[in-house]
């Protein structure tokens, strides 16, 4: 137990929080943008999984991490586009469309993994590339702080930028106003000349971009390979974070931090030899309890009013 | 039969056909002998009693999960917790089947009840959170899936694991607990009868009782249901209890019918399949039987192609996506629907039918 506590207060532990938070931040920002636009994208999990596969495969084919990242983004945006097409043009229920995409991602990636790597579990036999870690000059040399803040994967820094981008986008750009207006009241937005379909399509594509980054991080940063269902519900945890963050960029990022800590604790506890089957459930349990407490509080508040 | 109904049937048929066509394309792209592989995919499942038996035994768990999802969908609840329920009900039911000692008929019945009870408990977590505090049931149910899997694996590893076997499986079930095979020469077990019975019961519940009406009213418009004096909270909880019981039954039926030990080392995937089957069946409990059989046919076909040619069985998930997307696309084939309706108007057949 003492070893465990020491571990939690170590520099490595705090460093690892940033690492496990990266995909959550990306996905939850995707959730915020799409949900505010009134088209809740629940395919985050699937989009990230497809992006993770594309990043691994194309960085292996071209031996270039940059191409891998680009293809990861492209695939995630394409399938976000498919979702947008079906929901906005064919009027598919977006939740069902999301379920369909998640199922496609889960099976489809294994399908292609088998074709390219002759393996239905992982891609370790393919020598794919990873994105570089960045050492920030000056900060790097500060004791403790340098060890925590510097030396992360480039996408970890991008994920922080993604939060700032989302905040700024929704708060002070025309597109952000349109997104909010369309999500709030479609008809009112239409009446002042905002195209609902165009705005919602853009919001879904933006959530696709976020998923592209998140997925690329998983197979080209978090680890250096692809394995089946490697997102292990991070896309869903992001949705819970978005609900608890009340659809604001900053609040959602804060909620993601909570789940990042839970994830890091579970990793640390597993390393300490606690029963790994049980320890692995910590982030999900934290999400469930967090969401429950949050919902009860909202419920009580509404009752008082 | 009204236009709305026949249009739904047409759309379902088109979606099924599209799925089969996409399967052709995939096979042509990948297989070395495409024509032969396609023939295997389409016809081989009907070629022998054994393969027909495979279709039926594959359909059994799909019927249970499809039923469970159909009830939830009728209430407009997007709960995807079937996965976790299957796993957990399998674990707890297996514990009963390994360590209890009961006579032949009562034993499997009790195991089924244990499985169903477990399913109810698991489903009640997202159910109560949703009904009382309107927490998003999809997120909570997915978290429950992962929690069930972790806890189940812990129990399997530390309590049920048979050390005499190298792979991760439980001790053997007592033979009195297992579900008997009903068709000789196949593995079709009594579970199919239980599945059909469940489908009929759910049908009667939804279409012939007062509660069924409340369920559908809540699904169509929860606010309206509330204002007309229905207890929506109670309806949502009741629906979760039924969905949990049915899915739990499915989990333990699959274990006791097909296996001699608890063999799942990953979530079995039936929860998500249920969503697609319910949609194929237009959320009709009796339709679920047909939809599950069709999907089982696709699976057995894909499995055979996988054995004879090198096309991975995961092809199925691509087909499933096509089915879900096309069936849920309201505007898909909309033009034809419009034309039909216009034609009807011209003839003067349409009297009070609303144009949706």
């Amino acid at each position: 137990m003492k070893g465990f506590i020491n571990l939690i207060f170590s520099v490595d532990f705090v460093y690892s929080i940033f690492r496990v938070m990266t995909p959550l931040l990306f996905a939850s920002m995707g959730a915020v943008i799409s949900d505010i636009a009134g088209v809740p994208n629940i395919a985050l999990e699937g989009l990230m999984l497809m992006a993770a596969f594309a990043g691994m495969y194309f960085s292996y084919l071209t031996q270039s991490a940059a191409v891998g990242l680009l293809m990861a983004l492209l695939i995630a945006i394409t399938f976000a586009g498919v979702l947008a097409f079906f929901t906005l043009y064919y009027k598919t229920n977006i939740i069902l469309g999301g379920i369909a995409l998640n199922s496609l991602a889960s099976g489809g990636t294994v399908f292609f993994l088998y074709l390219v790597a002759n393996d239905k579990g992982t891609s370790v036999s393919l020598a794919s590339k990873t994105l570089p870690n960045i050492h920030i000059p000056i900060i790097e040399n500060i004791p403790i702080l340098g060890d925590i803040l510097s030396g992360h994967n480039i996408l970890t820094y991008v994920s922080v930028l993604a939060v700032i981008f989302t905040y700024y986008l929704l708060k002070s750009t025309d597109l952000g106003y349109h997104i909010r207006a369309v999500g709030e009241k479609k008809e009112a937005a239409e009446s002042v000349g905002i195209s609902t379909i165009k705005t919602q399509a853009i919001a879904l594509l933006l959530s696709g971009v976020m998923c592209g980054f998140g997925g690329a991080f998983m197979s080209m940063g978090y680890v250096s390979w692809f394995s089946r269902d490697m997102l292990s519900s991070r896309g869903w945890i992001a949705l819970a974070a978005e609900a608890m963050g009340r659809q604001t960029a900053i609040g959602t990022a804060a909620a993601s931090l909570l789940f990042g800590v839970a994830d890091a604790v579970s990793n640390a506890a597993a390393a300490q030899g606690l029963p790994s089957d049980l320890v692995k459930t910590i982030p999900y349990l934290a999400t469930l309890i967090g969401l429950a407490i949050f919902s009860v509080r909202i419920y009580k508040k509404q009752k008082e009013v | 039969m009204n236009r709305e109904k026949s249009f739904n049937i047409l759309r379902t048929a088109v979606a099924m056909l599209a799925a089969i066509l996409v399967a052709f394309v995939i096979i042509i792209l990948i297989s070395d002998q495409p024509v032969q592989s396609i023939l295997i995919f389409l016809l081989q499942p009907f070629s022998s009693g054994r393969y027909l038996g495979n279709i039926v035994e594959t359909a059994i768990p799909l019927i249970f999960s499809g039923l469970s999802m159909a009830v939830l969908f009728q209430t407009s609840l997007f709960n995807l917790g079937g996965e976790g329920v299957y796993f957990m009900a399998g674990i707890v039911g297996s514990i009963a089947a390994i360590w209890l000692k009961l006579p032949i008929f009562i034993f499997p019945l009790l195991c089924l009840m244990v499985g169903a009870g477990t399913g109810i408990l698991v489903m009640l977590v997202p159910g109560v959170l949703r009904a009382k505090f309107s927490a998003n049931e999809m997120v909570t149910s997915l978290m429950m899936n992962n929690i069930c899997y972790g806890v189940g694996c812990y129990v399997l590893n530390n309590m049920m694991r048979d050390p005499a076997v190298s792979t991760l499986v439980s001790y053997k079930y007592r033979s009195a607990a297992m579900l008997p095979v009903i068709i000789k020469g196949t593995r079709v077990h009594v579970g199919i009868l239980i599945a059909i019975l469940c489908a009929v019961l759910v049908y009667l519940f939804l279409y012939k009782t007062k509660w069924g009406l409340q369920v559908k009213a809540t699904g169509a418009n929860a606010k309206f249901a509330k204002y007309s004096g229905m207890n929506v909270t109670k309806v949502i909880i009741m629906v979760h209890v039924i969905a949990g019981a049915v899915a739990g039954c499915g989990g333990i039926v699959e274990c006791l019918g097909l296996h001699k030990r608890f063999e799942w080392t990953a979530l079995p995937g039936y929860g998500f399949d249920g969503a697609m089957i319910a949609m194929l069946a237009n959320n009709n409990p009796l339709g679920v039987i047909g939809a599950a059989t069709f999907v089982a046919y696709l699976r057995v076909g894909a499995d055979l192609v996988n054995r004879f040619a090198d096309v991975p069985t995961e092809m199925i998930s691509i087909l499933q996506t096509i089915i879900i997307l096309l069936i849920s696309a309201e505007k898909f084939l909309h033009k034809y629907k419009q034309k039909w309706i216009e034609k009807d108007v011209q003839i003067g057949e349409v009297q009070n039918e609303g144009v949706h």
Side-chain angles (χ1 to χ4, degrees), chain B residues 141-163:
Chain B
S141 64
L142 283 155
M143 294 302 120
M144 281 306 285
N145 285 350
N146 289 304
I147 295 168
C148 285
Y149 178 60
V151 174
C153 279
Y154 178 77
V155 174
L156 178 62
N157 264 317
N158 295 288
M159 291 166 59
M160 301 165 67
R161 180 165 189 180
D162 186 350

Side-chain angles (χ1 to χ4, degrees), chain A residues 179-304:
Chain A
I179 288 180
R180 284 185 354 220
V182 165
E184 192 76 35
K185 191 91 193 145
K186 245 184 189 176
E187 293 77 12
E190 287 276 3
S191 72
V192 290
I194 301 171
S195 162
T196 336
I197 290 195
K198 193 174 138 198
T199 313
Q200 291 186 326
I202 292 174
L204 279 175
L205 292 179
L206 276 176
S207 75
V209 174
M210 296 291 176
C211 292
F213 278 119
F217 174 77
M218 288 307 290
S219 65
M220 302 166 70
Y222 191 74
V223 291
S224 57
W225 60 83
F226 176 87
S227 61
R228 73 185 297 166
D229 293 323
M230 73 185 305
L231 262 300
S232 26
S233 293
R234 285 183 174 82
W236 299 106
I237 293 180
L239 283 179
E242 184 253 1
M244 287 173 66
R246 298 194 143 204
Q247 303 187 334
T248 63
I250 305 296
T252 303
S256 302
L257 174 68
L258 200 71
F259 301 131
V261 172
D263 205 350
V265 166
S266 111
N267 286 342
Q272 288 288 312
L274 294 172
S276 68
D277 291 323
L278 288 184
V279 158
K280 264 190 243 157
T281 65
I282 291 176
Y284 311 114
L285 210 56
T287 308
L288 184 70
I289 294 171
L291 203 62
I293 293 175
F294 168 80
S295 308
V296 172
R297 274 188 51 198
I298 295 270
Y299 173 75
K300 281 196 175 146
K301 246 185 211 159
Q302 278 173 349
K303 239 187 165 179
E304 277 166 24

Side-chain angles (χ1 to χ4, degrees), chain B residues 79-289:
Chain B
N79 178 322
L80 298 175
E83 293 282 300
V85 170
Y86 260 71
F87 195 80
M88 211 56 194
I91 288 272
V92 181
S94 296
I95 291 178
I98 293 168
W99 280 292
L100 289 181
K101 233 183 184 173
L102 287 166
I104 199 151
F105 182 70
I106 304 168
F107 201 175
L109 205 65
L110 182 97
C111 291
L112 285 190
M113 281 160 69
V114 169
T118 314
I120 292 173
L121 288 182
V122 173
M123 271 290 185
L124 271 180
V125 176
V128 170
L129 283 174
R130 161 70 206 215
K132 292 237 170 208
F133 310 111
S134 48
N136 184 331
E137 76 279 4
M138 191 156 48
V139 175
T140 50
S141 64
L142 283 155
M143 294 302 120
M144 281 306 285
N145 285 350
N146 289 304
I147 295 168
C148 285
Y149 178 60
V151 174
C153 279
Y154 178 77
V155 174
L156 178 62
N157 264 317
N158 295 288
M159 291 166 59
M160 301 165 67
R161 180 165 189 180
D162 186 350
V165 187
S166 62
T167 49
L168 176 56
V169 291
S170 76
Y171 292 106
K172 270 192 179 170
Y173 299 138
R174 288 193 195 278
S175 51
M178 291 195 287
L179 299 175
V181 168
I182 51 171
I183 300 177
K184 273 206 178 125
T186 68
R187 298 203 297 166
V188 177
H189 52 88
V190 79
I192 183 68
L193 302 179
I194 304 173
I196 293 172
L197 179 72
C198 266
V200 173
L201 287 179
V202 172
Y203 175 82
L204 292 177
F205 167 78
L206 279 176
Y207 291 93
K208 304 286 172 202
T209 67
K210 187 179 80 183
W211 303 295
L213 194 71
Q214 294 191 350
V215 165
K216 281 181 287 177
T218 307
N221 189 338
K223 271 188 190 148
F224 179 76
K226 202 173 172 182
Y227 291 139
S228 37
M230 297 177 196
N231 187 341
V232 172
T233 312
K234 208 166 128 192
V235 169
I236 293 179
I237 290 181
M238 180 170 66
V239 163
H240 275 94
V241 166
I242 293 171
V246 171
C249 241
I252 189 63
V253 161
E254 182 69 357
C255 290
L256 296 180
L258 281 186
H259 309 299
K260 291 190 174 62
R261 308 156 179 275
F262 185 82
E263 293 183 350
W264 285 330
T265 48
L267 290 176
Y270 293 124
F272 293 104
D273 299 338
M276 180 214 18
I277 287 161
M279 286 170 67
L280 247 174
N282 204 9
N283 297 334
N284 182 316
L286 298 180
V288 162
I289 300 173

